[in-house]
Every structure is written in structure tokens, then in C-alpha cells.
Amino acid sequence: PRTLVISRTLAERYYPDKDPIGEQVKFAISFSEEANNFPYTIIGVVEDIRAYSLTNTPYPALYAAQAQTFTRSANVMIRSQPGIDVLPAVRERLRALDPMLPIRSVATHRSAIAEAVGPRRFYLALLTAFAGIALVLSAIGLYSVVSFLTGQRTRELAVRMALGADAGSVIRLVLRDAIRPAILGVGLGLLGASLLSRTLESQLYGVSALDALTYATAPLILLAVTLAATLAPALRAARLEANTALQED
């Protein structure tokens, strides 16, 4: 009997409200009109596969016995133990079956995936490198700005310390004044990222454009960099000698 197994996407698209098992279909499988008139019975539904792209929505697919579809080519997948190179044995076995059989390509699953995601991985690595450089430059700029502003407040900090403020309160004051705009910037950045993330979604695989882990980790990294860049000026301000600072001013 002529039978088919269809993919989940095909079942949901053409049989959304009923069980497709037992349904009969016809489809073009040959240049011969007579061959295309044979009905096929659906006997199963299988999960989708990403045969053409790792990022695009899976295509509707159907599977039939090769002897019933008049196809002249096939893709064969072989499962092997990790660390064992089976490609030479595969080529030898195919050659023994039919010396004239043309073999288009033989490759491991890992290398096929690496080839498919290679260009996208390169662009994302480049983007990550630029993001890292931007993070370092922002940390240097933040350190410079906080150092300058802390130096401008030398008299204020000296007066606070002369009136009894301890080193801890001075450190907290400097850190608080630097962290507040950083928190505001992170909030605006998260908002902008959520609005623009759809433009990067086509470059992602296995990760949502609104991935919770990413949205939690990135602000923590930015705030940690802000804290690290601000800590040195804050510690320097806490070591001020109030009397000396007031006399110098």
C-alpha cells in the first residue's frame, strides 16, 4: 500500500481540526501524470526537522518509501560512537554496493552545522568584539568623568568630613551619585533593546530575542563595570585630609 508520514507543521496547516491519520492525498512526485494520480494514505505524524535552515520556520514535509516516489537521490544519516571517524568506512561501503554510484558529499553532522552557522557566528563574534571594546571604552570614560567630578567636589567632601562624615559615608555618596544615572541608562537601554531585538532575531538560533537570562546578565555586567570604574575615585575621596584639602582650596 502507498503510505505517507507527514510532519507536524503540515498536519497543523492542512488538518487543523481533525486527525490526519487515514486521510488520502495525492501529490506530484513525477513528470508522469499517471504516477501522480496514485492516492497515498497518511499513517503517521512526526516532529518537524530543520532541513534547510537552522533559523527559518520548518517547512511542511512528507515522507514516503523511496520505491514509491520515483526519486533518484537520497540523504543517508548514520549514527556512530563519539570520536570514531566512520567516513572512510561509509565511502568504502557505498563503493562496494555500487562503484558507479555518485556521492555528492559525505560529512559529519557537526561539520554540517558548523558550515551552516559559520557566517552568522562570524558576524555575532564581530558584534561581540565591538561590544567588548565599547564596554572597555565606556569604563575608561566613566572613570575619567567620575574622577573629574570628584575632584571638583573636593571642598564639599572636605567640609563633610570636617563636620564628622566618615570614610564610608563619603564612599557611599560618590558611588550613589555615579550609580543613579547608570541605573537610568540601563533602564533606557533595556527598553531600547526590547524594541529593537526583533531586528536581531534572524541571527539567533536556540535563543529568544527576549531571552530572560541575557536581559538579566547584561544590566548586571554594566552596573558592575560602573561600580568598578567609580570605586577608585570614591576611595581616593575617602582618603582626603579635610584640613589639608580646605587649606589647599
Side-chain angles (χ1 to χ4, degrees):
R2 297 179 181 273
T3 57
L4 287 177
V5 174
I6 64 175
S7 68
R8 181 75 59 186
T9 295
L10 190 148
E12 293 175 351
R13 178 176 299 184
Y14 294 103
Y15 304 97
D17 301 321
K18 63 178 180 178
D19 186 358
I21 304 300
E23 295 291 327
Q24 290 193 332
V25 297
K26 294 181 180 180
F27 62 97
I29 57 176
S30 171
F31 291 109
S32 170
E33 189 65 29
E34 181 181 357
N36 295 335
N37 286 328
F38 290 115
Y40 285 75
T41 302
I42 299 175
I43 62 171
V45 179
V46 295
E47 294 300 327
D48 296 311
I49 64 171
R50 299 179 183 271
Y52 303 101
S53 172
L54 293 176
T55 55
N56 293 340
T57 302
Y59 294 99
L62 51 83
Y63 306 91
Q66 187 175 20
Q68 296 179 353
T69 56
F70 304 98
T71 57
R72 296 181 178 272
S73 63
N75 296 319
V76 180
M77 294 192 68
I78 301 174
R79 185 186 300 275
S80 67
Q81 294 296 326
I84 299 177
D85 184 10
V86 299
L87 297 188
V90 171
R91 291 182 180 275
E92 182 179 351
R93 180 59 179 163
L94 291 175
R95 197 176 299 113
L97 290 173
D98 186 352
M100 301 301 294
L101 183 68
I103 303 173
R104 187 178 66 177
S105 62
V106 180
T108 63
H109 191 234
R110 186 185 301 274
S111 64
I113 293 178
E115 182 179 357
V117 302
R120 185 174 291 106
R121 183 175 291 170
F122 170 76
Y123 291 127
L124 291 179
L126 195 64
L127 182 63
T128 301
F130 283 129
I133 294 173
L135 187 63
V136 172
L137 292 176
S138 63
I140 295 173
L142 185 62
Y143 169 80
S144 302
V145 170
V146 173
S147 295
F148 175 77
L149 294 178
T150 303
Q152 295 292 309
R153 299 175 64 183
T154 299
R155 180 177 178 81
E156 173 199 343
L157 297 176
V159 169
R160 288 177 179 271
M161 298 181 72
L163 294 177
D166 58 6
S169 63
V170 172
I171 293 176
R172 287 192 296 272
L173 174 66
V174 176
L175 291 179
R176 185 175 65 247
D177 290 346
I179 290 294
R180 280 178 177 174
I183 293 176
L184 177 61
V186 166
L188 294 175
L190 287 175
L191 178 61
S194 64
L195 295 176
L196 297 176
S197 59
R198 298 300 179 185
T199 60
L200 291 177
E201 194 166 16
S202 62
Q203 302 296 317
L204 303 176
Y205 171 65
V207 179
S208 169
L210 299 176
D211 182 60
L213 180 61
T214 302
Y215 276 77
T217 304
L220 292 177
I221 293 176
L222 293 174
L223 292 177
V225 169
T226 302
L227 184 62
T230 309
L231 190 58
L235 292 175
R236 188 163 57 249
R239 290 194 294 266
L240 280 175
E241 289 291 340
N243 294 332
T244 304
L246 290 173
Q247 289 174 3
E248 289 178 353
D249 188 69

